[in-house]
């Protein structure tokens, strides 16, 4: 009897626990069913109302063709890069600025298409930069427009009209410094940055002179073209100012051409002839020797190197130098058939400039030679810049400025953004000639691509003075006591 009672009690308890277990299992299944329904309704809502994350919509790609999937995936990667763009407020410690002459928006668009069929599109590294801007060229609206004044406006942040009013025939006449315009590179020097200038033209060209020389007539690149009266009055040509001025002496790196403007006696080779169209130094001048003498007098002593032959550049160790001056051609460096590559010059320049805890500003000038093929030269520039930027530096601001200025010789330093039309008469006549003349003189704008700290400042359309002013702010330079 007792055993029967215990068996009944055990069966009742077991039945009760089975009921609880069934209820629990039912509740779990119901919750799963509700969750699945919610997920399904959510996905349906997102698809119908286009609120899904563009990076997480793989579920519908099975509905499209394989070719479309491929391009859609590439588009997603580009969108991901765009969404990663953000504004960092830290200041860059290094700035690399590449200025390419001979390229504007139409030329860049045309250069993208390579190959015999013209259907192969090419991308450039600056296409992936996070920010882009346009700079208006006031020089386009002036006729004639002096190249030296245009570049001085660009690098000093002073409007072209004001630069032209401040022009003086003799730099020594402004000893008070009231009319002295400080380029952004000179401002960087005063703020303690190491600086460099690399060009495939002359170190004394229109752009170079705007960085260190005070205003002189653009033809006074050397003393050979200066009037005797101006020399006796104490005026200095551009080459002399590069060697003797505070700004010129402070450059840590100078690489380019123009040897015949510094020295009276220069070697002439088949691959590096003397350029008869350029200024030549007067008898007895040897400014390159003067530069060496200045560096020898520095206290404490500094390590420096003077190069006059292109093949010497590859053998130096830039990391061990404080100063490097390379005048590697008699005329324009691009006129030397054995000139070093831009990649080698950049590599050596950065070796000299890079020092722990010290910032630097490197300006690179490159003229595109129309007779050599614009697309090929841009591809070479693209490869060079890709190699330089291969080792990413979070503290470097990189700028690429494309402009259609074209100065092939001193006699053509007329306008930064207005092409010469001296040869149009040979190709066109009558109304067509006037049409072509107007087309060549149409205003254009420079393209600016930016990447790195403070690149967010370079956006939209601005006056040409914006570049120097913004660079000064981005580097934290406050030589004028400004407060933002």
């Amino acid at each position: 009897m007792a055993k029967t009672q215990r068996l009944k009690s055990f069966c009742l308890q077991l039945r009760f626990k089975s009921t609880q277990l069934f209820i629990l299992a039912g509740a779990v299944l119901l919750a799963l069913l509700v969750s699945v329904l919610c997920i399904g309704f959510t996905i349906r809502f997102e698809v119908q109302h286009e609120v899904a994350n563009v990076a997480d919509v793989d579920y519908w790609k099975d509905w499209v063709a394989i070719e479309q999937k491929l391009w859609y995936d590439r588009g997603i990667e580009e969108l991901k890069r765009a969404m990663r763009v953000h504004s960092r407020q830290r200041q860059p410690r290094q700035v690399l600025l590449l200025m390419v002459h001979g390229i504007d928006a139409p030329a860049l668009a045309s250069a993208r298409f390579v190959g015999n069929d013209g259907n192969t599109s090419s991308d450039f590294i600056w296409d992936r930069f996070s920010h882009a801007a346009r700079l208006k060229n006031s020089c386009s609206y002036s006729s004639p427009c002096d190249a030296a004044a245009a570049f001085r406006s660009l690098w000093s942040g002073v409007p072209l009209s004001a630069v032209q009013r401040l022009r003086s025939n003799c730099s020594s006449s402004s000893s008070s410094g009231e009319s002295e315009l400080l380029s952004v590179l000179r401002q960087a020097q005063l703020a303690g940055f190491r600086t460099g200038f690399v060009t495939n033209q002359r170190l004394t060209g229109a752009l170079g002179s705007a960085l260190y020389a005070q205003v002189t007539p653009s033809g006074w690149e050397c003393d050979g073209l200066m009037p005797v009266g101006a020399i006796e009055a104490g005026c200095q040509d551009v080459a002399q100012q590069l060697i003797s001025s505070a700004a010129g002496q402070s450059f840590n790196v100078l690489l380019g051409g123009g040897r015949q403007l510094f020295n009276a006696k220069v070697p002439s080779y088949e691959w590096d002839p003397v350029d008869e169209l350029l200024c030549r130094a007067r008898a007895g001048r040897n400014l390159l020797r003067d530069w060496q003498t200045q560096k020898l007098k520095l206290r404490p002593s500094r390590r420096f190197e003077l190069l006059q032959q292109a093949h010497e550049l590859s053998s130096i160790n830039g990391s061990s130098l404080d100063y490097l001056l390379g005048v590697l051609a008699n005329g324009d460096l691009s006129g030397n058939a054995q000139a070093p590559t831009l990649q080698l010059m950049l590599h050596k320049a950065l070796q000299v400039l890079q020092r722990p805890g010290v910032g630097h500003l490197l300006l690179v000038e490159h003229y595109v030679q129309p007779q050599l093929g614009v697309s090929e030269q841009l591809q070479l520039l693209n490869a060079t810049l890709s190699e330089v930027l291969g080792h990413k530096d979070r503290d470097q601001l990189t700028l690429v400025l494309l402009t259609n200025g074209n100065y092939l010789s001193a006699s053509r330093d007329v306008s930064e953004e207005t092409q010469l039309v001296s040869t149009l008469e040979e190709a066109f006549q009558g109304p067509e000639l006037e049409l072509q003349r107007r087309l060549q003189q149409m205003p254009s704008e420079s393209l600016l691509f930016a990447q790195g700290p403070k690149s967010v400042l370079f956006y939209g359309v601005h006056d040409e003075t914006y570049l120097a002013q913004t660079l000064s702010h981005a580097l934290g330079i406050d030589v004028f006591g400004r407060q933002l």
Side-chain angles (χ1 to χ4, degrees):
M1 187 67 181
K3 290 182 179 180
T4 303
Q5 292 295 331
R6 285 197 296 270
L7 181 60
K8 289 183 179 179
S9 176
F10 175 77
C11 291
L12 288 174
Q13 292 178 359
L14 181 61
R15 187 173 59 181
F16 178 73
K17 291 181 179 180
S18 298
T19 303
Q20 289 179 322
L21 183 61
F22 176 77
I23 294 174
L24 179 61
V28 171
L29 290 175
L30 182 61
L32 288 175
L33 178 62
V34 172
S35 299
V36 170
L37 291 174
C38 289
I39 292 174
F41 286 127
T42 302
I43 292 176
R44 181 181 179 85
F45 178 83
E46 288 181 344
V47 171
Q48 290 180 344
H49 296 82
E50 298 182 350
V51 297
N53 187 337
V54 293
D56 301 317
V57 289
D58 296 335
Y59 47 83
W60 68 269
K61 290 194 297 181
D62 291 333
W63 304 348
V64 301
I66 296 178
E67 185 74 10
Q68 188 173 1
K69 287 183 183 180
L70 173 65
W71 291 107
Y72 182 84
D73 288 339
R74 292 187 181 183
I76 288 295
E77 292 303 317
E78 188 170 352
L79 286 173
K80 286 180 179 179
R81 289 197 301 269
M83 290 187 293
R84 286 196 295 266
V85 173
H86 54 88
S87 171
R88 290 188 178 274
Q89 296 303 310
R90 71 179 189 278
Q91 293 176 349
R93 294 300 301 165
Q94 298 91 30
V95 174
L96 172 61
L97 197 159
L98 172 62
M99 185 172 186
V100 182
H101 299 274
I103 297 294
D104 56 9
L108 180 62
S110 176
R112 294 187 186 282
F113 296 94
V114 296
N116 296 329
D117 56 0
N119 294 324
T120 305
S121 179
S122 176
D123 295 328
F124 301 105
I125 187 172
W126 49 81
D127 295 336
R128 299 194 295 271
F129 285 10
S130 57
H131 296 88
R134 284 178 175 260
L135 298 181
K136 295 180 286 186
N137 298 294
S138 58
C139 192
S140 301
Y141 303 92
S142 303
S143 180
C145 181
D146 182 71
F151 281 119
R152 192 168 301 278
S153 173
L154 180 67
W155 299 115
S156 68
V158 177
L160 179 61
S161 57
V163 168
Q164 292 171 331
R165 288 197 304 269
L166 292 172
R167 290 180 64 82
S168 169
N169 288 332
C170 186
S171 61
S172 62
S173 65
S174 58
S175 57
S176 63
E178 293 181 357
S179 61
E180 182 175 350
L181 297 178
L182 299 181
S183 70
V184 67
L185 262 79
R186 181 53 182 157
Q187 296 176 40
Q189 291 173 350
L190 295 174
F193 286 81
R194 297 171 67 83
T195 54
F197 175 51
V198 175
T199 177
N200 72 337
Q201 298 297 100
R202 309 178 302 279
L203 292 173
T204 55
L207 188 150
S209 64
L211 302 177
Y212 56 82
Q214 290 311 301
V215 182
T216 58
S218 58
W220 290 7
E221 278 196 59
C222 76
D223 59 352
L225 293 180
M226 289 180 65
V228 176
I231 297 177
E232 294 176 346
C235 297
Q236 292 186 348
D237 57 276
V238 174
Q240 179 66 58
Q241 292 187 55
L242 176 57
I243 301 302
S244 60
S245 69
Q249 294 179 14
S250 298
F251 276 102
N252 299 96
V253 177
L254 289 165
L255 293 175
R259 189 189 303 117
Q260 67 186 59
L261 288 78
F262 294 91
N263 287 2
K265 295 182 179 181
V266 295
S268 180
Y269 305 100
E270 181 180 353
W271 64 84
D272 184 22
V274 172
D275 194 332
E276 300 296 340
L277 298 178
L278 295 178
C279 176
R280 293 199 62 179
R282 293 178 182 267
R285 166 170 276 201
N286 194 334
L287 292 179
L288 299 182
R289 180 187 58 194
D290 295 343
W291 182 85
Q292 287 181 305
T293 303
Q294 291 173 0
K295 299 310 180 198
L296 286 171
K297 294 180 180 179
L298 292 176
R299 294 294 181 270
S301 62
R302 294 289 185 266
R303 295 163 296 180
F304 62 91
E305 192 75 46
L306 171 64
L307 306 179
Q308 297 193 55
Q309 298 299 326
H311 63 83
E312 299 174 334
L313 183 61
S314 59
S315 61
I316 67 166
N317 180 13
S319 302
S320 64
L321 298 176
D322 297 298
Y323 298 96
L324 174 62
L325 172 59
V327 189
L328 308 175
N330 287 323
D332 292 333
L333 186 58
S334 58
N336 185 343
Q338 298 185 1
T341 64
L342 179 62
Q343 181 173 330
L344 176 61
M345 292 194 294
L346 285 179
H347 178 64
K348 296 300 180 180
L350 290 172
Q351 279 187 348
V352 178
L353 292 176
Q354 291 172 343
R355 293 293 184 272
V358 182
H360 68 255
L361 171 56
L362 175 59
L363 174 59
V364 181
E365 176 189 38
H366 184 86
Y367 275 77
V368 171
Q369 309 297 324
Q371 68 274 17
L372 300 180
V374 173
S375 297
E376 292 77 6
Q377 292 179 78
L378 280 180
Q379 290 296 332
L380 184 59
L381 280 174
N382 182 65
T384 298
L385 195 58
S386 299
E387 194 278 334
V388 171
L389 300 179
H391 306 287
K392 292 185 178 180
D393 191 334
R394 295 176 64 253
D395 293 324
Q396 176 170 298
L397 171 63
T398 304
L399 302 172
V400 176
L401 178 63
L402 305 178
T403 173
N404 68 349
N406 187 11
Y407 311 109
L408 299 182
S409 66
S411 62
R412 293 185 61 181
D413 283 358
V414 175
S415 170
E416 180 180 9
E417 296 300 331
T418 302
Q419 303 260 348
L420 292 184
V421 294
S422 57
T423 61
L424 288 179
E425 290 80 357
E426 302 175 4
F428 303 99
Q429 294 180 352
E432 190 176 13
L433 170 63
E434 183 61 27
L435 174 61
Q436 292 295 325
R437 191 189 305 274
R438 291 185 179 183
L439 288 175
Q440 283 203 353
Q441 294 179 340
M442 286 180 63
S444 63
E445 295 175 337
S446 299
L447 302 177
L448 179 63
F449 301 88
Q451 174 179 266
K454 297 293 185 180
S455 61
V456 68
L457 299 174
F458 299 95
Y459 73 99
V461 181
H462 301 275
D463 293 331
E464 58 201 347
T465 56
Y466 184 79
L467 176 59
Q469 296 166 356
T470 307
L471 262 181
S472 178
H473 168 69
L475 290 172
I477 301 173
D478 192 26
V479 295
F480 300 114
R482 297 164 299 176
Q483 298 292 333
L484 291 180

